[in-house]
């Protein structure tokens, strides 16, 4: 039987959800970067953690990220139904009941936090709790529908994993994971706004006040350039603070230099057709690789210095 649309724009489920739909709710592609930064925080931390406990800590970070993504989609099901790039997600497409998604998200949240606390320590569990709550309540429910600066403040939610990974090993929070938090925090606006520029029609259709929708493309390009400059300073901070060595410093200089060059191309662009925004797509794709390179360089650097 085909799904029957309802007034909210979300289709009613025709049958029980498939397990693949539950996996899809966790946004596994987005989770990859979250898990990697958490793993790098764990590997860069001083001290020793049993491999089984290390695996458990990273699993908890993944489950916590998946829980936050699930609750985000539960809350935004009506909005996702209005956007072309999200309309086929399990909830707007009618492949899953919203109540099932809510229970799944809440259950994952509690399980991930409790397991982290029991397996490692309660500081790591507390930071994981803050990251989930921040993403769901501060970003999704409060900021996103109200302000064009949503991704600036809300970006903190995705910057917690290196702190969680570090805390899982050491039981405290050091200067290096805080520096990595700041790097990720300032990386988020240029990364996300590059995407927002070429998916602007989607956000406009859904009534989401993303910066390109409310301030225009030119203002968004200026903000990308501004936050790239701040991010560049944050990227070099670990070297200047002598928290990392020459390997990270070299990668940071080369990788950030390329990021700055791509961001400058976006700043100079006057393209208004989303389908032809090649500079914006190039910056968005590279920004993902950039964070992988930067965090990977931290681990290699710390291991060689040990």
């Amino acid at each position: 039987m085909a799904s029957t649309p309802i007034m909210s724009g979300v289709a009613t489920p025709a049958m029980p959800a498939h397990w693949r739909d539950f996996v899809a709710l966790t946004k596994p592609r987005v989770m990859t970067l979250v898990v990697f930064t958490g793993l790098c925080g764990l590997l860069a931390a001083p001290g020793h953690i049993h491999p089984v406990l290390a695996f458990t800590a990273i699993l908890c970070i993944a489950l916590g990220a998946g829980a936050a993504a699930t609750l985000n989609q539960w809350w935004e099901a009506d909005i996702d139904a209005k956007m072309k790039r999200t309309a086929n997600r399990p909830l707007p497409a009618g492949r899953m009941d919203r109540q099932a998604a809510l229970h799944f998200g809440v259950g994952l949240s509690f399980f991930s936090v409790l397991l982290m606390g029991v397996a490692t320590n309660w500081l790591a569990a507390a930071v994981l709790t803050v990251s989930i709550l921040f993403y769901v309540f501060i970003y999704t429910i409060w900021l996103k529908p109200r302000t064009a600066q949503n991704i600036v403040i809300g970006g903190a939610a995705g910057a917690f994993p290196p702190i969680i990974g570090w805390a899982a090993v050491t039981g405290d929070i050091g200067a290096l994971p805080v520096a990595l938090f700041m790097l990720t925090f300032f990386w988020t606006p240029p990364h996300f706004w590059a995407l927002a520029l070429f998916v602007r029609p989607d956000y406009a259709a859904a009534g989401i006040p993303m910066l390109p929708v409310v301030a225009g493309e030119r203002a968004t390009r200026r903000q990308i350039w501004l936050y790239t400059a701040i991010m560049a300073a944050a990227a070099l901070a670990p070297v200047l603070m002598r928290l990392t060595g020459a390997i990270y410093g070299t990668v940071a200089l080369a990788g950030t230099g390329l990021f700055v060059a791509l961001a400058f191309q976006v700043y100079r662009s006057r393209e208004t057709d989303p389908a032809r925004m090649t500079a914006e797509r190039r910056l968005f794709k590279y920004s993902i690789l950039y964070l992988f390179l930067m965090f990977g360089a931290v681990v290699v650097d710390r291991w060689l210095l040990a």
Side-chain angles (χ1 to χ4, degrees), residues 10-27:
V10 179
T12 55
M15 59 188 69
H18 194 278
W19 66 267
R20 290 188 180 88
D21 292 320
F22 284 99
V23 173
L25 283 178
T26 66
K27 298 183 181 178

Side-chain angles (χ1 to χ4, degrees), residues 12 21 47 81 89 104 136 142 151 161 164 176 198 200-201 227 238 278-279 295:
T12 55
D21 292 320
R89 285 176 175 174
F104 180 59
V136 175
W142 181 35
I151 200 61
I164 300 170
L176 181 57
F198 59 83
R200 178 183 175 276
Y227 276 95
T278 55
F295 274 79

Side-chain angles (χ1 to χ4, degrees), residues 12-212:
T12 55
M15 59 188 69
H18 194 278
W19 66 267
R20 290 188 180 88
D21 292 320
F22 284 99
V23 173
L25 283 178
T26 66
K27 298 183 181 178
R29 288 204 302 175
V30 175
M31 188 194 299
T32 302
L33 189 54
V34 171
V35 169
F36 183 76
T37 57
L39 175 63
C40 289
L42 183 147
L43 294 176
H48 175 74
I49 184 172
H50 192 281
V52 174
L53 297 182
F55 172 81
T56 304
I58 300 306
L59 175 63
C60 290
I61 292 175
L63 294 177
T70 297
L71 294 172
N72 168 269
Q73 291 181 69
W74 163 74
W75 182 263
E76 296 185 342
D78 293 345
I79 295 173
D80 284 346
K82 300 174 184 177
M83 300 172 63
K84 182 178 179 181
R85 71 186 185 91
T86 58
N88 196 43
R89 285 176 175 174
L91 290 174
R95 298 194 303 272
M96 178 182 291
D97 180 71
R98 289 184 74 164
Q99 197 73 4
L102 175 60
H103 292 164
F104 180 59
V106 172
L108 272 186
S109 298
F110 277 99
F111 179 73
S112 64
V113 169
L114 289 174
L115 182 59
M116 179 70 86
V118 172
T120 62
N121 58 74
W122 292 104
L123 175 62
V127 181
L128 179 60
T129 302
V130 170
S131 70
I132 296 171
L133 295 178
F134 196 99
Y135 186 79
V136 175
F137 290 99
I138 303 300
Y139 172 66
T140 300
I141 296 177
W142 181 35
L143 293 171
K144 190 173 180 180
R146 289 176 173 82
T147 172
Q149 294 298 307
N150 48 28
I151 200 61
V152 176
I153 305 169
F160 282 111
I163 294 180
I164 300 170
W166 180 285
V169 177
T170 65
D172 62 20
I173 299 173
L176 181 57
V178 172
L180 296 177
F181 173 95
M182 298 307 297
L183 169 60
T184 310
F185 180 78
F186 289 116
W187 163 89
T188 303
H191 162 73
F192 198 89
W193 282 333
L195 169 68
L197 278 168
F198 59 83
V199 298
R200 178 183 175 276
D202 261 2
Y203 287 122
I208 299 297
M210 289 298 176
L211 192 62

